[in-house]
Amino acid sequence: MTLLLKGGRVIDPSRNIDHEGDLLIENGKIARLAREIPKKGCPAGTEILNLKGMIVVPGLIDMHTHLREPGFEYRETIASGSAAAVAGGFSTIACMPNTDPVNDTRSVTEFIRRKAAECGLANVHPIAAISLKSEGAQLSEFWDLKDAGAVGFSDDGKPVMNAGLMRRALEYASSLGMPVIAHCEDRNLSAGGVMHEGTTATELGLAVIPGIAEDVMVARDLLLAEYTGAALHIAHVSTAGSVRLIREAKARGVRVSAETAPHYFILTDEAVRGFDTSTKVYPPLRSAEDVAAIREGLADGTIDVIASDHAPHARTDKEVEFDYAASGLTGLETSLALSLRLVWDGVLTLPALIEKMTLRPAAVLGIPKGTLADTADADVTVIDLSREWLVDRAHLTSRGKNTPFHGWTLKGKAVLTLVGGTVKFRDL
Ligand SMILES: [Zn+2]
Ligand SMILES: [Zn+2]
């Protein structure tokens, strides 16, 4: 099958490309990008899509999602999560190991890959647990998990409280050329908390998770990465303190990369005032000063990646008192449009944003994605920047309807998602 994407603005940060052009796709691979590819130069039967006015980018990558299968299929399955991914413009996702059973063994990693291949939507890369059952006591079998197809290690959802274990995880992962993805939180400072420490929490009378609970652990993990020389990736950065620490570590040459999620640069803890449990996320929504620092960190390159931290929950998990509600929001289908606000607000150029959603996460995970270079897999996302759309939880593809953005009108939308040259989502 041959497809010619014609006349779009092609942005490929892997080669500093940003111009109008035609992209030819043959047999699942990128065949050619040129200012103009005439139809007569294409094989017979080539399908032509006129994309004048559209943005054509490498397939978006979300390196931090929760697919919930095995174990919590009522929240999300690999199939429903993959469908939500391509609907959000993501051709590739990496899924966290906090399923039941936890992805701490070859059989779970292989199960996820097999299920993902069967549903045939997005590319799904499992991230395996650092410790058995993510209990923080004993390292999982890193080599075996890598061999089964894992692309990184994380106990996401829980911090690794034991610094000795984290040191060994960094050393072991580094010897395999794999990243450790850290959920940074000191439980001694955060235990029992449900929202950010500040005046809003005092007024609402809710127990707090102070920003320092994140900062302390970021500082520890940066020191361990510096000491071991290993590659560390810091998940969902939410505080000004973390941004400062990561910036300083990068300046010293520490091998660290970092991600944040849209809700940490769009919302503040003020959003919790209505006690809408979809604003209960982990780490919590922070102060306006933290949001400003996150935006600065994105602009100056301290924060490399934007990930959704897609955390779908069932109604029964969320339709309870705030204190008892599960943490997390459903993010795959709103991540792109929310991230585009950084462009509308002048924080990032469009190519810089696309880089944080394609090339950078591919580099962190060490996967050959995030490029439109010749012979690359034809994973392509087409974006309509002018499309305005209403976020309606009833219309989300994900099983998780827990979004604090319900009722918001957002600008910019993925209208076509190709994975391996095949159309997996189309709204053109
Ligand atoms: Zn986490
Ligand atoms: Zn997470």
Side-chain angles (χ1 to χ4, degrees):
M1 179 192 155
T2 315
L3 191 59
L4 181 63
L5 306 182
K6 206 154 177 54
R9 175 182 162 194
V10 180
I11 298 176
D12 181 1
S14 78
R15 293 178 297 157
N16 284 318
I17 285 170
D18 180 3
H19 61 70
E20 278 193 8
D22 297 349
L23 189 67
L24 183 66
I25 292 162
E26 273 182 301
N27 303 321
K29 302 284 183 187
I30 305 288
R32 192 150 72 94
L33 168 67
R35 299 265 174 185
E36 184 156 20
I37 300 175
K39 191 188 175 191
K40 59 178 163 48
C42 299
T46 299
E47 189 190 341
I48 298 178
L49 282 174
N50 186 354
L51 298 177
K52 195 85 187 153
M54 301 287 165
I55 309 294
V56 178
V57 302
L60 302 180
I61 299 171
D62 190 343
M63 65 172 290
H64 189 146
T65 75
H66 296 268
L67 290 180
R68 308 304 193 196
E69 185 181 1
F72 305 102
E73 291 81 357
Y74 62 98
R75 292 175 172 166
E76 191 83 287
T77 62
I78 291 163
S80 67
S82 301
V86 294
F90 294 97
S91 58
T92 296
I93 55 179
C95 58
M96 287 297 178
N98 61 338
T99 47
D100 184 18
V102 168
N103 181 12
D104 60 3
T105 50
R106 165 185 286 275
S107 60
V108 181
T109 299
E110 287 176 345
F111 168 83
I112 293 166
R113 295 186 66 207
R114 189 169 63 246
K115 278 273 180 178
E118 276 168 22
C119 77
L121 291 167
N123 305 302
V124 176
H125 295 279
I127 292 165
I130 291 172
S131 62
L132 294 180
K133 297 183 182 174
S134 287
E135 285 175 341
Q138 212 181 328
L139 284 187
S140 57
E141 290 282 355
F142 280 19
W143 186 89
D144 208 33
L145 288 158
K146 178 185 180 175
D147 190 55
V151 293
F153 298 100
S154 182
D155 276 352
D156 186 52
K158 293 177 180 175
V160 176
M161 286 297 294
N162 181 328
L165 190 83
M166 190 61 162
R167 173 196 173 166
R168 280 187 284 128
L170 284 161
E171 287 171 341
Y172 194 178
S174 178
S175 73
L176 298 171
M178 307 261 282
V180 169
I181 301 170
H183 168 117
C184 290
E185 170 194 358
D186 187 317
R187 277 266 162 97
N188 299 308
L189 287 161
S190 64
V194 296
M195 76 169 289
H196 177 62
E197 182 176 55
T199 51
T200 310
T202 309
E203 286 173 40
L204 298 179
L206 291 173
V208 298
I209 302 174
I212 193 74
E214 178 173 314
D215 305 348
V216 161
M217 206 55 126
V218 167
R220 184 203 77 177
D221 286 350
L222 288 169
L223 289 170
L224 288 171
E226 188 168 19
Y227 182 68
T228 59
L232 169 71
H233 179 80
I234 297 181
H236 45 52
V237 170
S238 75
T239 66
S242 296
V243 174
R244 179 171 60 81
L245 288 160
I246 295 163
R247 184 182 289 126
E248 290 167 359
K250 282 191 167 186
R252 291 200 303 278
V254 179
R255 289 175 64 201
V256 60
S257 56
E259 87 198 15
T260 190
H263 38 288
Y264 300 117
F265 54 77
I266 301 282
L267 297 174
T268 68
D269 57 350
E270 289 283 328
V272 180
R273 281 192 184 279
F275 293 100
D276 172 2
T277 55
S278 64
T279 64
K280 185 177 178 184
V281 289
Y282 193 38
L285 300 173
R286 301 289 188 185
S287 69
E289 293 75 40
D290 291 308
V291 169
I294 297 288
R295 287 177 167 234
E296 269 178 48
L298 284 160
D300 72 11
T302 301
I303 299 175
D304 307 81
V305 170
I306 296 172
S308 73
D309 199 358
H310 176 75
H313 285 289
R315 286 177 60 176
T316 47
D317 300 317
K318 283 290 196 180
E319 290 185 1
V320 293
E321 281 174 70
F322 200 87
D323 280 339
Y324 303 112
S327 293
L329 58 79
T330 189
L332 281 166
E333 292 161 86
T334 50
S335 184
L336 172 62
L338 292 169
S339 299
L340 279 167
R341 289 198 162 201
L342 297 169
V343 178
W344 313 139
D345 293 348
V347 177
L348 293 176
T349 63
L350 184 56
L353 173 67
I354 297 303
E355 182 174 344
K356 290 181 195 296
M357 300 181 82
T358 56
L359 184 64
R360 297 298 305 154
V364 172
L365 298 175
I367 55 174
K369 298 284 184 185
T371 178
L372 296 175
D374 292 359
T375 75
D377 292 341
D379 296 352
V380 183
T381 300
V382 177
I383 302 165
D384 182 348
L385 286 183
S386 60
R387 177 87 67 96
E388 295 198 1
W389 60 286
L390 180 73
V391 181
D392 181 345
R393 62 168 72 96
H395 291 152
L396 292 174
T397 304
S398 169
R399 286 193 181 177
K401 310 300 180 190
N402 47 308
T403 174
F405 302 105
H406 175 72
W408 288 39
T409 297
L410 301 178
K411 193 173 157 219
K413 191 177 183 303
V415 291
L416 185 73
T417 308
L418 301 182
V419 181
T422 306
V423 176
K424 301 297 184 184
F425 174 77
R426 184 170 179 164
D427 183 20
L428 267 173

